[in-house]
Amino acid sequence: GGLPSGTSGHAMCLLSGGIDSPVAAYRLMKRGCRVRFVHFHSYPLLSHASQEKVQEIVNVLTKYQLSSRLYVVAFGEMQRQVVLTAPPALRVVLYRRLMMRIAERLARKSGAGALVTGESLGQVASQTLENLGVINAVVSLPVLRPLVGSDKEEITAEALSLGTYEISIIPDQDCCQLFTPRNPATKAKLEKVEQAEAQLPLEEMIETAVDAAEREDFAFP
């Protein structure tokens, strides 16, 4: 029911250790898009668990496209800088905007023509329509959200059929859980977000992250 791998170009998927983003990646693969992956972690502030989970997930997904590439980006220090300068309510949106900028740089370096996320409208605070608009504003590549209209039950059923669900539910410490405010903004204003970002050395942070990103290649079988 799909298209041959690579016939629809390349995309860069922001891959967490959760249930959603592996399913989003697979949906792009099914349409002939070869997917590369980028994972953000907060080691040594948190454990290695999320990195190990993501490696296992990419291993499973590689059988659908035969070869994959994973970039691993240290994100903890950037989160610490955000915490020191930005209002707590805006932290999650600022994290996501940083991730999108870094993912876009890596995508362009590797020849990918779009970004892919596992976001589903309204599922968490950063995934409201207003926040998605603010997050999108920092990149010029298309952002594909294959799960945007799916609910958790649909996504979970697909993850089970793919073989990624059992890996995704292994307990870990995801970087999104670090320094998360009690009441994150659900309708962030672009002007306020940009004011908060003006206090950060954004270009230096992005360049450092891209230069230090670790790359791992996978092949099936």
Side-chain angles (χ1 to χ4, degrees):
L3 296 172
S5 180
T7 57
S8 298
H10 293 73
M12 179 70 75
C13 179
L14 285 80
L15 187 69
S16 71
I19 296 169
D20 302 336
S21 50
V23 177
Y26 169 75
R27 289 192 181 181
L28 264 292
M29 292 178 194
K30 194 166 78 167
R31 301 310 305 155
C33 192
R34 186 172 291 280
V35 180
R36 294 178 178 135
F37 304 95
V38 56
H39 174 67
F40 296 87
H41 69 86
S42 294
Y43 182 82
L45 300 178
L46 298 177
S47 75
H48 268 303
S50 75
Q51 297 171 69
E52 293 165 357
K53 279 178 63 176
V54 161
Q55 288 171 327
E56 287 190 57
I57 289 169
V58 174
N59 222 16
V60 171
L61 290 175
T62 299
K63 69 183 179 182
Y64 300 105
Q65 62 177 4
L66 304 186
S67 65
S68 299
R69 178 166 293 169
L70 168 66
Y71 294 93
V72 179
V73 177
F75 199 63
E77 185 54 41
M78 284 180 273
Q79 288 179 277
R80 197 200 301 270
Q81 288 181 262
V82 170
V83 168
L84 291 173
T85 61
L90 297 179
R91 284 178 197 166
V92 176
V93 170
L94 292 169
Y95 296 162
R96 294 296 296 177
R97 279 166 63 97
L98 269 168
M99 289 177 180
M100 294 294 273
R101 288 179 171 106
I102 294 163
E104 183 176 50
R105 294 282 180 93
L106 291 169
R108 292 191 183 281
K109 280 181 67 173
S110 64
L115 301 177
V116 184
T117 77
E119 291 161 319
S120 172
L121 187 62
Q123 186 164 251
V124 294
S126 66
Q127 296 174 21
T128 62
L129 202 57
E130 293 84 355
N131 284 359
L132 291 177
V134 171
I135 291 164
N136 263 34
V138 297
V139 294
S140 57
L141 284 179
V143 181
L144 308 179
R145 294 182 169 92
L147 309 183
V148 71
S150 300
D151 63 34
K152 202 68 175 185
E153 286 186 8
E154 295 168 319
I155 299 166
T156 297
E158 196 164 342
L160 281 164
S161 70
L162 288 177
T164 57
Y165 178 79
E166 291 79 6
I167 304 167
S168 294
I169 62 171
I170 296 170
D172 72 328
Q173 294 179 301
D174 188 85
C175 71
C176 292
Q177 299 167 10
L178 185 66
F179 305 132
T180 301
R182 182 170 295 183
N183 297 301
T186 56
K187 295 184 178 182
K189 302 296 184 187
L190 183 58
E191 181 185 357
K192 297 288 186 185
V193 172
E194 288 177 340
Q195 285 174 3
E197 285 181 340
Q199 310 303 312
L200 295 165
L202 285 177
E203 191 57 34
E204 179 185 330
M205 293 165 72
I206 294 163
E207 284 187 10
T208 300
V210 171
D211 291 343
E214 298 176 15
R215 193 184 97 184
E216 185 175 354
D217 291 326
F218 297 74
F220 181 85

